[in-house]
Amino acid sequence: MSSESSKKRKPKVIRSDGAPAEGKRTRSDTEQEGKYYSEEAEVDLRDPGRDYELYKYTCQELQRLMAEIQDLKSRGGKDAQAVEIEDRRIQSCVHFMTLKKLNRLAHIRLKKGRDQTHEAKQKVDAYHLQLQNLLYEVMHLQKEITKCLEFKSKHEEIDLVSLEEFYKEAPPDISKAEVTMGDPHQQTLARLDWELEQRKRLAEKYRECLSNKEKILKEIEVKKEYLSSLQPRLNSIMQASLPVQEYLFMPFDQAHKQYETARHLPPPLYVLFVQATAYGQACAHRKSSQPPRQDKMLSVAIEGSVDEAKALFKPPEDSQDDESDSDAEEEQTTKRRRPTLGVQLDDKRKEMLKRHPLSVLLDLKCKDDSVLHLTFYYLMNLNIMTVKARVTTATELITPISAGDLLSPDSVLSCLYPGDHGKKTPNPANQYQFDKVGILTLRDYVLDLGHPYLWVQKLGGLHFPKEQPQHTVITDHSLSASHMETTMKLLKTRVQSRLALHKQFASLAKLQAAVVLNPGYSSIPPIFQLCLNWKGEKTNNNDDNIRAMESEVNVCYKELCGPRPGHQLLTNQLQRLCVLLDVYLETESHDDSVEGPKEFPQEKMCLRLFRGPSRIKPFKYNHPQGFFSHR
Amino acid sequence: MERAAQQAVPLGQMEVFQALQRLHMTIFSQSVSPCGKFLAAGNNYGQIAIFRYPCPCSPLSMSSGSWPSGGLMPPSSDTQAPLPFPFSLSAALSSEAKEESKKPMVTFQAHDGPVYSMVSTDRHLLSAGDGEVKAWLWAEILKKGCKELWRRQPPYRTSLEVPEINALLLVPKENLLILAGGDCQLHAMDLETGTFMWALRGHTDYIHCLALRERSPEVLSGGEDGAVRLWDLRTAKEVQTIEVYKHEECSRPHNGRWIGCLATDSDWMVCGGGPALTLWHLRSSTPTTVFPMRAPQKHVTFYQDLILSAGQGRCVNQWQLSGELKAQVPGSSPGLLSLSLNQQPAAPECKVLTAAGNSCRVDVFTNLGYRAFSLSF
């Protein structure tokens, strides 16, 4: 029934509009509530047991009725029964109604009960929740408390200095003894303060030390660099000291290098080198009483290629390795055309006359600053030494023609000792060698190889006895030493005497005259061209005075014709030339920078020495007065 | 020296003699005519030759400017063949150029001794040699038998030997001619009156060369004694002495100390000779540049921004003021004694350099770079 009533209510609600429905609903609700008796309220009033009894009774009635209906129906008869059935049906309908009601009531009761339970449950749940929350909070707080209780302040990790120390060391404004003594908290604070203070100081110190360390490291770096750069500087100082060494005449470097190279010299050259160096040093020391600026009289040097010298002594293994190659090469060469006999012989000769790649250079200084350069070579296969000579003078020598050969390298040293021409080889054994290769005499090669003087061999310690040929010759230092001094002296005197002779020749003033004679001589005068060799070569191209002299004899020939028919012209011209030469030489202006008397004292009388833009000398002779003047 | 020309000898000998003379001729001096078209050269025999500058001449200018002003067309000189007329530079340079174009128009005996120096005023040619100075009119000079206008001899102290006159200098502002030479003095002659006004003494040996410093009118003289002396013209006194040989940079004792050539550019002076050719700053008397030339120089001159010098040796040397040698142009004479630049404004087409010295030839350099050709006595 409740469902019907609710159904009823619902269609009403549905059919009508919203607002009025609500109003109606509320009105109907209130009307119905006013009119309708609430079954919910009724439930509270009725006793559920009784209702249950009622239910049971109703069900029983129904059953009975049903059974009666059934009976009636089964008996058959319609009319009477129909009324009874109807009656019973109506009763059963009422009973159904009751049942429905009871059902409704039961439902309502159930619902109520449920609601109540639900409410209670809800409450319980709420309390439960509260309980849980509180418990949780309690737990949380407990945890916090334990945490707090467990909390260890960092300050407890620090090893603070002990109390006594603290009170001793800390300054009073930190330690605050009066406060801290009583109060542990303050005390700890103070101690911590002190700790902080100390740490700050220490950190400061630490920084300082660090920066110091950096500085020192840098200094170390700089010094290291300095040291490492010292090496090249030392080298350069060594280099720079070379001139100082030279200045002080202590050429250590040079000497050292020389001794290095000297090791590669062949024995005779080595002997010569040693003896010459020794002699040179002895000479220098001998004059030690004089100021040390005296130059060395004798200086020794080694020239040549050390590598080649080293190559001469290549170990034989190399040659063994090459043997197979050389065999192959030989086979090849035999296939090719053999070189001609002459070429082969030439090669053999060259081989025989081969020089050692190193040579010793001796410079002998004479008093007038002229130097004799001697280069000593060693001919390996012939076992003799040769020398090449060269003379250089302090001032350039103007070589007069006749003095040309005086200082020529070929002849300057010949016959230093009597009979020592230096054209033959001193080693008798060489003769046999020469025969093999067809050299007649060494004379042909002397210009190229140098002169093999006997004294040269002696200087190198090579001793060749004249009687028997020896195949092995020992190089002897004592031989060299004994000859060194005499030979040097002889060389010096030779050079000086040759130079003096040369000078003599140079100082002679020579006038060369080229004469052209015409077939129509003496009407057509001979023409002269002059060249004066004196202090240089002077011709009419570079000396105005020569030109004037030529003009004097060529143009003014009329004066010189002499008595008619004038055949004496040529002799007169020549005589005039001699006079002119005299005038020229005597009137040569004296060079003030050179000391010493005039070479040609002035004997002729001249009014003026120079005249005119060309500065001509007085070449005109004034006859009766006897003096020279200009034209 | 006796006269060369008039002797009774056969013609062959004459030619030989002249050839010998030519061989031993030295041209000491040159001078350009005021119109710029002629060059006078004086040699050691006392002769003066007048050459014509071989310049392009158009027929139009022929009438007015081709001959010295006031002159008629001259007859050909007795020794030379007639000149082709007109002619041009290209003709002179061409292969068919006849020898005549390089010969002098006229040659005459001017002095007894060598003609050491010559200058030209605007109308006269003044030549000096053995002791006297002579003047010739340019207008008349091409005529045959030209005679000197006047001759003067400065008052010499000694009479034993006539001193030569090595240098002549014109001072146009004061109309003076200054002579210097063998008697170690500078004589000043007034050109109008011809009188010798004063003589400047100071040199101890004969004077080679003179130069004029225009701003403050001063004369520079260089001599055999090795000193360059500056004289003030107005006060006639020696103002400054520079003893060149005493300066180490330029002195060359083996050559001597004589000063052979001088040139000045008011503040600067270049001198040479025995000592090296040097550029001097006059006010401070210091040598600024020494030109590296071994041979003694006999003539030097400033030209534009170069210094030209010549002396012993064939070449005309061109120097930059810094001391660098710009060019060396060889000439035909083995030694040169005189350089002449034709800078006359009247004849710009004849602007050439001529050089002469120890030969009978005058080299003409139309372009400073090379010798175009030579005129010959």
Side-chain angles (χ1 to χ4, degrees), chain A residues 343-602:
Chain A
V343 174
Q344 270 186 340
L345 207 57
D346 233 4
D347 291 338
K348 280 196 196 160
R349 274 191 214 137
K350 279 196 198 143
E351 186 60 35
M352 170 131 318
L353 298 172
K354 204 165 137 190
R355 291 206 292 227
H356 193 272
L358 292 175
S359 56
V360 176
L361 183 62
L362 236 68
D363 290 335
L364 201 57
K365 217 172 204 175
C366 304
K367 281 190 193 134
D368 58 350
D369 281 346
S370 50
V371 184
L372 171 67
H373 303 278
L374 298 168
T375 317
F376 292 90
Y377 301 99
Y378 176 60
L379 300 180
M380 297 183 289
N381 293 318
L382 298 179
N383 199 18
I384 53 174
M385 279 171 52
T386 61
V387 68
K388 278 196 185 172
R390 195 165 54 94
V391 179
T392 55
T393 46
T395 55
E396 212 183 277
L397 272 184
I398 307 154
T399 312
I401 299 169
S402 49
D405 274 345
L406 275 181
L407 293 173
S408 103
D410 196 28
S411 61
V412 68
L413 293 177
S414 81
C415 289
L416 206 60
Y417 288 95
D420 188 5
H421 294 277
K423 306 258 189 231
K424 263 188 342 165
T425 164
N427 186 355
N430 292 151
Q431 197 54 49
Y432 301 101
Q433 290 169 301
F434 286 165
D435 287 340
K436 271 193 237 169
V437 290
I439 298 177
L440 282 175
T441 161
L442 201 54
R443 190 186 295 231
D444 307 324
Y445 302 94
V446 136
L447 277 173
D448 190 38
L449 298 173
H451 292 265
Y453 295 109
L454 287 171
W455 53 269
V456 173
Q457 319 306 321
K458 291 196 182 130
L459 282 181
L462 293 169
H463 179 61
F464 301 108
K466 297 221 169 73
E467 285 77 27
Q468 308 147 313
Q470 275 186 347
H471 293 282
T472 55
V473 182
I474 315 153
T475 58
D476 193 352
H477 277 262
S478 56
L479 184 62
S480 169
S482 57
H483 272 88
M484 177 66 70
E485 189 161 356
T486 12
T487 316
M488 290 299 149
K489 288 214 169 98
L490 276 174
L491 283 170
K492 263 193 248 185
T493 35
R494 166 64 59 95
V495 170
Q496 278 172 330
S497 54
R498 286 277 168 102
L499 278 175
L501 194 57
H502 191 102
K503 260 194 222 167
Q504 301 274 321
F505 274 113
S507 64
L508 296 175
K510 278 188 294 284
L511 180 68
Q512 286 170 324
V515 187
V516 175
L517 278 169
N518 189 282
Y521 167 69
S522 90
S523 47
I524 296 184
I527 302 179
F528 284 75
Q529 186 164 41
L530 303 174
C531 172
L532 179 65
N533 277 308
W534 182 65
K535 291 188 186 171
E537 197 179 297
K538 300 180 201 233
T539 62
N540 58 8
N541 276 339
N542 55 22
D543 192 338
D544 288 334
N545 284 307
I546 301 288
R547 203 155 175 265
M549 283 162 68
E550 283 176 7
S551 158
E552 194 70 23
V553 283
N554 287 342
V555 179
C556 310
Y557 67 93
K558 295 259 165 48
E559 301 166 3
L560 302 166
C561 277
R564 282 201 166 241
H567 295 304
Q568 283 176 328
L569 178 58
L570 185 61
T571 36
N572 286 348
Q573 280 178 322
L574 288 170
Q575 197 177 35
R576 172 62 62 89
L577 268 183
C578 294
V579 172
L580 292 176
L581 179 64
D582 273 344
V583 173
Y584 183 101
L585 294 173
E586 283 171 22
T587 55
E588 185 65 16
S589 64
H590 190 55
D591 190 351
D592 288 330
S593 65
V594 177
E595 288 174 12
K598 274 176 84 163
E599 224 172 303
F600 295 95
Q602 186 163 351

Side-chain angles (χ1 to χ4, degrees), chain B residues 45-94:
Chain B
Y45 300 120
Q47 298 165 332
I48 294 181
I50 310 291
F51 296 90
R52 177 147 173 213
Y53 277 109
C55 315
C57 304
S58 66
L60 289 170
S61 68
M62 200 55 62
S63 50
S64 53
S66 48
W67 299 112
S69 49
L72 307 162
M73 183 171 142
S76 54
S77 57
D78 52 349
T79 48
Q80 316 299 332
L83 274 170
F85 178 93
F87 68 76
S88 63
L89 188 60
S90 50
L93 288 175
S94 69

Side-chain angles (χ1 to χ4, degrees), chain A residues 523 544 547 608 611 615, chain B residues 13 25-26 130 164 358:
Chain A
S523 47
D544 288 334
R547 203 155 175 265
R608 261 174 75 176
R611 195 175 195 259
R615 301 173 75 239
Chain B
Q13 272 208 346
M25 189 183 292
T26 308
D130 258 350
E164 78 281 17
N358 284 344

